[in-house]
Amino acid sequence: MPEARETAVYTHGHPESVLRSHTWRTAENSAAYLLGVLEPHMRILDIGCGPGTITADLAALVPDGHVTGLDREPGILDQARATAGERGLGNTDFTTGDVHALGFPDDSFCVVHAHQVLQHVGDPVRALREMRRVTRPGGYVAVRDADYAAMTWYPASAGLDRWLDLYRRVARANGGEPDAGRRLKSWALAAGFTDITATSGTWTFSTAGERVWWSGLWADRTVDSAYAERAVGAGHATGEELREVAAAWRDWGAREDGWFSVLHGEILCRKEV
């Protein structure tokens, strides 16, 4: 089994403003492209499971199977275990690990799933090869990642333009690729997959409640998160500049005509039998 290695820094960290977004995610709003192939008996590995909301949804969909949630950060797994426990799901377990070197034998899972993971790793092709290795023949690797350069909003905002430029620079300095969504199919081909279904999906925030929630979490994340610390520490922005970007987020969120769309690339790769 290949040796584990750390190759990138997770840009966001796990402050409340980040978990506010992560705990909102469900299988329906974040993995709909996968649900049609699930069967009740399947064993699933959910990589980058975070607080476990998607993991729990997947476990409920495979009542005769099992879901293993994996994350690099041991602290977040307590919340994931609590999420599964609150839902009365006895078919889950959680462990730490590195997607570049998964600690499982070959052909262990029917489905290996990763949501918003490959944008944060140093070697996404190696990660996909590992995901393929631990997938059973005939099983699936399912990956979904946002594409920051493809995000779009209305009305125009110079402050949000600065946010997008800053975020992409910080993420790349951390060793990741913020525009991962458009690259997923290419990475999968390089990893050896031949049966690839490539699609896309969006999150859209336009109602008053959606705008306040989305703008608020990004305003908070911009001034109080690992991302903010790295932006200032590496000289990408000053604290005052971050506060100005946060204010631009709140200004956008207060606009009645505000609209924001997050584009995601998706790949569903079937491992050859």
Side-chain angles (χ1 to χ4, degrees):
M1 204 166 295
E3 181 183 354
R5 57 177 182 154
E6 299 292 341
T7 58
V9 176
Y10 180 50
T11 296
H12 299 290
H14 291 96
E16 185 279 332
S17 59
V18 173
L19 293 180
R20 202 183 313 164
S21 170
H22 290 185
T23 55
W24 166 83
R25 298 172 184 173
T26 66
E28 183 177 359
N29 69 28
S30 299
Y33 70 102
L34 165 63
L35 303 187
V37 304
L38 296 184
E39 298 179 19
H41 68 277
M42 284 182 161
R43 293 185 60 85
I44 299 174
L45 175 63
D46 186 22
I47 295 174
C49 66
T53 51
I54 297 176
T55 317
D57 283 352
L58 294 174
L61 293 169
V62 292
D64 302 322
H66 190 88
V67 182
T68 296
L70 180 146
D71 204 279
R72 280 175 49 178
E73 299 298 328
I76 198 63
L77 294 181
D78 290 337
Q79 186 168 342
R81 293 185 184 99
T83 298
E86 289 164 4
R87 300 192 193 183
L89 297 165
N91 61 337
T92 62
D93 71 294
F94 297 89
T95 187
T96 55
D98 177 2
V99 68
H100 296 99
L102 296 168
F104 304 100
D106 296 356
D107 307 336
S108 294
F109 299 95
C110 306
V111 174
V112 178
H113 168 261
H115 184 263
Q116 312 289 29
V117 171
L118 293 192
Q119 63 186 278
H120 297 296
V121 306
D123 192 340
V125 173
R126 175 173 174 172
L128 282 163
R129 287 182 182 135
E130 272 294 273
M131 295 168 74
R132 182 175 180 269
R133 179 184 66 78
V134 302
T135 301
R136 295 174 180 173
Y140 297 89
V141 170
V143 176
R144 187 176 194 251
D145 267 277
D147 193 301
Y148 276 77
M151 293 184 188
T152 189
W153 57 84
Y154 184 87
S157 166
L160 293 193
D161 289 341
R162 288 196 296 274
W163 159 76
L164 182 57
D165 174 68
L166 175 64
Y167 180 84
R168 292 171 76 220
R169 284 190 283 115
V170 172
R172 288 196 170 116
N174 285 340
E177 175 45 70
D179 304 340
R182 69 187 66 190
R183 292 169 164 81
L184 295 182
K185 182 180 179 183
S186 173
W187 289 340
L189 288 167
F193 288 102
T194 57
D195 186 348
I196 306 167
T197 300
T199 56
S200 62
T202 60
W203 293 334
T204 302
F205 306 100
S206 63
T207 68
E210 290 166 347
R211 294 193 314 271
V212 168
W213 180 78
W214 183 244
S215 64
L217 68 86
W218 268 109
D220 291 344
R221 194 181 301 187
T222 297
V223 296
D224 184 18
S225 68
Y227 156 63
E229 293 170 3
R230 290 166 185 143
V232 173
H236 298 290
T238 65
E240 179 58 30
E241 287 169 334
L242 292 185
R243 289 188 287 273
E244 290 172 357
V245 169
W249 267 112
R250 297 195 187 279
D251 289 345
W252 172 84
R255 290 288 301 256
E256 185 178 2
D257 58 350
W259 177 91
F260 198 108
S261 183
V262 179
L263 178 70
H264 299 83
E266 303 162 343
I267 50 170
L268 188 61
C269 308
R270 191 168 187 266
K271 184 174 178 177
E272 67 278 6
V273 178

